[in-house]
Structure formats: structure tokens, C-alpha cells
Amino acid sequence: MPNPTAAMLVIGDEILSGRTRDANMHHLAGRLTEMGIDLKEVRVVSDDRDAIVAAVRALSATFSNVFTSGGIGPTHDDITADCVAEAMGASIDVRDDARAVLEGHYARQGTEMNAARLRMARIPDGATLIDNPISAAPGFSLGNVHVMAGVPSIFQAMLESLLPGLTGGRPLLSETLRVERPEGEIAGPLGVLAERHGAVSFGSYPFIQDGRFGANIVARSADAQALGAAMEALKATFGEEDG
Amino acid sequence: MPNPTAAMLVIGDEILSGRTRDANMHHLAGRLTEMGIDLKEVRVVSDDRDAIVAAVRALSATFSNVFTSGGIGPTHDDITADCVAEAMGASIDVRDDARAVLEGHYARQGTEMNAARLRMARIPDGATLIDNPISAAPGFSLGNVHVMAGVPSIFQAMLESLLPGLTGGRPLLSETLRVERPEGEIAGPLGVLAERHGAVSFGSYPFIQDGRFGANIVARSADAQALGAAMEALKATFGEEDG
């Protein structure tokens, strides 16, 4: 059976303007690979209602899981929850279970609840809350869309709350051979190997280091034996420069 | 007149698998912001023909410019040029001008031309070459799609070859006020300010530092005077904690 698939939707003007460098994509990609969920696409869109709704609709119709980051705080530019509800045809309002989580948190902290904070209890009907052990305001899963915060430490904590409940697959195994030769010399023999080892996918990722050209050849497969054979063949072809 | 818009398409399994952290998105975002070209969307897709063709078609139909990174080297997994040609309805083959660039480069280096390297001279009919001062193999612009390498130093060099020929707009100016209070306290007054200063867009980007919650409030506008007034109002409301 093929692995479940996933897409990520990053919501945030600050990334598209170049002010902030996204950190959540790389983290999510690594965790999903470990679980055997194949991340197939990432989109970054601005804090724009139409753009968010269209992206949620397109991605949730195409992939097994959609993970969103950003736009679920208390300020006027936090519109993700409402957009996801609209995209999925759900109604949304302050929900008692989410309000109770926030009230308990603020009571323990001696912080006042106010109208802005109450916005973070707006959760679509039918959604399941995602625990936020850091700042309490929950994320949620609605259908196959998992809505999480953009602050990296909170995104990561929410993800760890969420992942055990998702269906994984066969983790994709990978091994890398670093070859200090230009890709133009690697390409011919690598193409032959790729034809021969059909159960393994080979990627060539070029680099320039100290003015010299090289490439990391990455072999990937869910089949450990096929991967081992491919790595032997790679080393026999290109030499054992690195593990 | 509104600013020209842009989308970026990052092609690469290595980013979706979590092996590599993308660096080109952040660089492109910053350079486009300086030029007054509004980056509206980024997509990351795998080295998959159908996914690349569909993304190029969707983005080139929606935005003024599409910038791609990755997949234009000599190895079997480099399929971007052929996919862009297909998406834009152009034919593609080895082109004499691109072959001449490569042959000159390899002759100077004393490197042999081979079948794999010749693949990098595959350029769609009607495309304009983008100069690559680092490793010679050119990028190209076909219609509004600008195809560049994935290696960051080459991507950046190609971008500097390309940008002077593109139409810019009014650079979006931005100023940031760092407020060391939780967003739940900031949100109410910030919403009022956002209503009052219609020519300015306000974003609130929360952070956690040393266990304390705060937010960077970013005001953006192409109108310097409106931005100045908004910053005065922000400082009057939240205090002048940082510039």
C-alpha cells in the first residue's frame, strides 16, 4: 500500500516579504519522513482570505493530510481558523471546550481573559482540538486539515501532540554518498544505475565548496535490501569518498 | 498602479524530505521586496513531471512573474526545463546559443563536453538565456517564467543577471516595533490602529524569548508619510521599546 501523503500550508506575509525565514517546513519534513508520511507539496501564501481558502481546498482534496502553520493568534491579522472553516464548509464560533482551556490557563497565570484572547477559542464545528502545552491556545484538526501555530516552539509542540494519532507508512530510508566530482561527470553513470535499481530513487544535489564542484547522491527506498544493493553499486561506481 | 506580482516555485525532493533546508526563498523574497515586486505565493514540489507542469501553469497564469529554482543540472532527475517547456506549450531541444556558452566554458576549463553536460543546453524555443557567471550552464526566461538553478550561489548570481530587466514597482516600506507583551494584550489596541491607518498594513509576529511572550509589530506601506504617522501612533500606544 502506498504511504499516506501530506502537504503543508504556511500562512504568513512575514515570510513572503523576506522579514522572517520559515523554520517549520524543514522541521515538519523531517518528522513526516520518519513516520512514512510523504510530504508532496508546500505552499506559502499571504494573510489573504481568498488565497488561504483556495489553498486549503486544493490541498485537502489532493493529499491525505494538510498541515498549516501560522495565523491562529489573537490579532486582527490572524484569520486562519475562519478561512479553514470556510474552505471545509464548517461553521465557526467560540467553542466551550477551547474557552475552558484558555480560561484555566489564564486563571493559573493571573492573566485576564479579554475579547482578543477569546478569539483564540474560535474553533470550527466538528474539529478536534490539538493540545498546546506552551501557551494553551489550541490548534485543531478539521477533516484532514491540521491547524497549528507559526511560532516554531509552539508548532513543534503541537505537532508532537498530533502525530501519534495519524496513520503513518513505511519510512523512506535514505543513504548519501558525497562525490567530489562535477555533476557533468556523475550524470552518465548515475543514469545507468538509476535504470538498473528500479526500487530505489536517486537524487543528485550539487554543491560548491571552496570553489570545487561536487554532489551528494542520495538513494531512497522503503526497501532496506534494495537500498543496500544500490549503495554498494554507487560506491563501486564513484568510489567510497564518504558515508 | 499596483505593483507587479510574483510567485516562486521550488523544485526539489531534497527539501520535501527534510534533507536540505531551502535558502533561495528567503533570498528571493528580500530582493523582490526591495524592487517593489510583491511575492504572493511560494510552492515547493517534488521532482515529478505532472506536479511541476501543473504548478508552472497555475502560477504563470496568476502572477506577473514566476521564479523557479532547482532541477536544471545534467543528471536524470533534472527535468525542470522540459516541464516548463511543456507547461508553456513550447518545444525544447539543445539550442546552439546555449551549447556555445557551455563549449566555451568547458574549453577554457579543459573539461570535456559529454552527453550529460549537453542536456544543460536544452532550452525551450523562444526563451531568453539567463547568464550564469559561476558554472556557465544558463537559466532561461520563457514568457513570464524565469528558470534558475537550485545551488544558492548560482541562484543568487542568476537572479542578479535577471532582475535589472524586470519591471519593478513602489518598494514596500516597513518598520518594526518590538513589544514585550503577550499578543493577547496587544491585539485590541492594534486592531483599532489598523482600522484608523488604512494606507498601512499591520502584522503581528509573536515570539517567545527566555520564556517571555512578545510580538514584533510590523507596519508596511508604499507611502512613507502614512508609515511615519502609523509608527508614531504605534509608539504612543505601546511605548518606544525598540526601533
Side-chain angles (χ1 to χ4, degrees), chain A residues 27 130-134 148 151-162:
Chain A
H27 178 80
I130 300 176
D131 189 37
N132 169 359
I134 294 184
M148 293 177 285
V151 174
S153 59
I154 304 178
F155 178 84
Q156 292 170 23
M158 285 181 168
L159 188 64
E160 296 312 312
S161 306
L162 174 66

Short mmCIF file of all heavy atoms in Angstrom, two decimals, chain A residues 27 130-134 148 151-162:
data_model
loop_
_atom_site.label_atom_id
_atom_site.label_comp_id
_atom_site.label_asym_id
_atom_site.label_seq_id
_atom_site.Cartn_x
_atom_site.Cartn_y
_atom_site.Cartn_z
N HIS A 27 11.35 21.38 9.73
CA HIS A 27 11.05 20.51 10.87
C HIS A 27 9.97 19.49 10.52
O HIS A 27 10.12 18.28 10.77
CB HIS A 27 10.63 21.34 12.08
CG HIS A 27 10.27 20.51 13.27
ND1 HIS A 27 11.23 19.97 14.10
CD2 HIS A 27 9.08 20.05 13.72
CE1 HIS A 27 10.62 19.24 15.04
NE2 HIS A 27 9.33 19.28 14.84
N ILE A 130 -6.14 20.42 19.13
CA ILE A 130 -4.74 19.98 19.24
C ILE A 130 -4.13 20.68 20.44
O ILE A 130 -4.17 21.92 20.54
CB ILE A 130 -3.93 20.32 17.97
CG1 ILE A 130 -4.54 19.63 16.74
CG2 ILE A 130 -2.46 19.91 18.13
CD1 ILE A 130 -3.85 20.01 15.42
N ASP A 131 -3.58 19.89 21.35
CA ASP A 131 -3.05 20.40 22.61
C ASP A 131 -1.85 21.33 22.37
O ASP A 131 -0.99 21.05 21.54
CB ASP A 131 -2.61 19.20 23.46
CG ASP A 131 -2.24 19.62 24.87
OD1 ASP A 131 -2.90 20.52 25.42
OD2 ASP A 131 -1.27 19.05 25.41
N ASN A 132 -1.83 22.45 23.10
CA ASN A 132 -0.71 23.39 23.05
C ASN A 132 -0.12 23.52 24.44
O ASN A 132 -0.60 24.30 25.26
CB ASN A 132 -1.22 24.74 22.53
CG ASN A 132 -0.20 25.86 22.68
OD1 ASN A 132 0.90 25.65 23.18
ND2 ASN A 132 -0.58 27.05 22.26
N PRO A 133 0.91 22.76 24.75
CA PRO A 133 1.45 22.76 26.12
C PRO A 133 2.22 24.03 26.46
O PRO A 133 2.60 24.22 27.61
CB PRO A 133 2.38 21.54 26.12
CG PRO A 133 2.75 21.31 24.70
CD PRO A 133 1.60 21.81 23.86
N ILE A 134 2.43 24.91 25.50
CA ILE A 134 3.26 26.09 25.75
C ILE A 134 2.43 27.32 26.09
O ILE A 134 2.65 27.97 27.10
CB ILE A 134 4.17 26.36 24.53
CG1 ILE A 134 5.16 25.20 24.41
CG2 ILE A 134 4.88 27.71 24.66
CD1 ILE A 134 6.19 25.34 23.33
N MET A 148 -2.08 24.62 13.01
CA MET A 148 -1.13 24.83 14.11
C MET A 148 -0.55 26.24 14.09
O MET A 148 -0.70 26.98 13.11
CB MET A 148 -0.03 23.77 14.03
CG MET A 148 -0.60 22.37 14.32
SD MET A 148 0.62 21.04 14.15
CE MET A 148 0.73 20.96 12.37
N VAL A 151 4.69 30.15 15.56
CA VAL A 151 5.89 30.24 16.41
C VAL A 151 6.52 28.85 16.49
O VAL A 151 5.85 27.89 16.87
CB VAL A 151 5.53 30.74 17.82
CG1 VAL A 151 6.74 30.72 18.75
CG2 VAL A 151 4.92 32.14 17.76
N PRO A 152 7.79 28.72 16.10
CA PRO A 152 8.35 27.37 15.95
C PRO A 152 8.23 26.47 17.17
O PRO A 152 7.88 25.29 17.05
CB PRO A 152 9.82 27.65 15.59
CG PRO A 152 9.77 28.95 14.85
CD PRO A 152 8.70 29.76 15.56
N SER A 153 8.48 26.99 18.37
CA SER A 153 8.42 26.10 19.54
C SER A 153 6.99 25.60 19.76
O SER A 153 6.78 24.45 20.17
CB SER A 153 8.92 26.84 20.80
OG SER A 153 8.15 28.00 21.03
N ILE A 154 6.00 26.43 19.46
CA ILE A 154 4.60 26.01 19.62
C ILE A 154 4.20 25.07 18.49
O ILE A 154 3.52 24.06 18.71
CB ILE A 154 3.66 27.24 19.69
CG1 ILE A 154 4.09 28.17 20.82
CG2 ILE A 154 2.22 26.79 19.90
CD1 ILE A 154 3.26 29.44 20.95
N PHE A 155 4.64 25.37 17.26
CA PHE A 155 4.37 24.48 16.14
C PHE A 155 4.88 23.08 16.44
O PHE A 155 4.19 22.08 16.24
CB PHE A 155 5.02 25.03 14.86
CG PHE A 155 4.82 24.15 13.65
CD1 PHE A 155 3.67 24.24 12.89
CD2 PHE A 155 5.79 23.21 13.29
CE1 PHE A 155 3.47 23.42 11.79
CE2 PHE A 155 5.59 22.39 12.18
CZ PHE A 155 4.43 22.49 11.44
N GLN A 156 6.09 23.01 16.93
CA GLN A 156 6.71 21.70 17.19
C GLN A 156 5.99 20.96 18.30
O GLN A 156 5.79 19.74 18.22
CB GLN A 156 8.19 21.89 17.53
CG GLN A 156 8.99 22.37 16.31
CD GLN A 156 10.40 22.80 16.65
OE1 GLN A 156 10.96 22.37 17.66
NE2 GLN A 156 11.00 23.63 15.81
N ALA A 157 5.59 21.69 19.35
CA ALA A 157 4.89 21.04 20.46
C ALA A 157 3.52 20.52 20.00
O ALA A 157 3.11 19.42 20.35
CB ALA A 157 4.74 22.01 21.63
N MET A 158 2.81 21.33 19.21
CA MET A 158 1.51 20.89 18.69
C MET A 158 1.67 19.67 17.79
O MET A 158 0.86 18.74 17.84
CB MET A 158 0.85 22.02 17.89
CG MET A 158 0.27 23.13 18.75
SD MET A 158 -0.52 24.38 17.67
CE MET A 158 -1.40 25.34 18.91
N LEU A 159 2.71 19.68 16.98
CA LEU A 159 2.94 18.55 16.07
C LEU A 159 3.14 17.26 16.87
O LEU A 159 2.62 16.20 16.49
CB LEU A 159 4.16 18.85 15.20
CG LEU A 159 4.45 17.87 14.07
CD1 LEU A 159 3.32 17.86 13.04
CD2 LEU A 159 5.77 18.20 13.39
N GLU A 160 3.87 17.34 17.97
CA GLU A 160 4.09 16.15 18.79
C GLU A 160 2.80 15.69 19.46
O GLU A 160 2.63 14.50 19.73
CB GLU A 160 5.20 16.37 19.81
CG GLU A 160 6.58 16.62 19.19
CD GLU A 160 6.96 15.61 18.09
OE1 GLU A 160 6.81 14.40 18.32
OE2 GLU A 160 7.37 16.04 16.99
N SER A 161 1.88 16.63 19.73
CA SER A 161 0.56 16.23 20.23
C SER A 161 -0.23 15.50 19.16
O SER A 161 -1.01 14.59 19.44
CB SER A 161 -0.26 17.46 20.67
OG SER A 161 0.44 18.26 21.60
N LEU A 162 -0.05 15.92 17.93
CA LEU A 162 -0.87 15.45 16.82
C LEU A 162 -0.41 14.14 16.20
O LEU A 162 -1.21 13.25 15.89
CB LEU A 162 -0.86 16.55 15.74
CG LEU A 162 -1.53 16.26 14.40
CD1 LEU A 162 -3.04 16.10 14.58
CD2 LEU A 162 -1.21 17.37 13.40
#
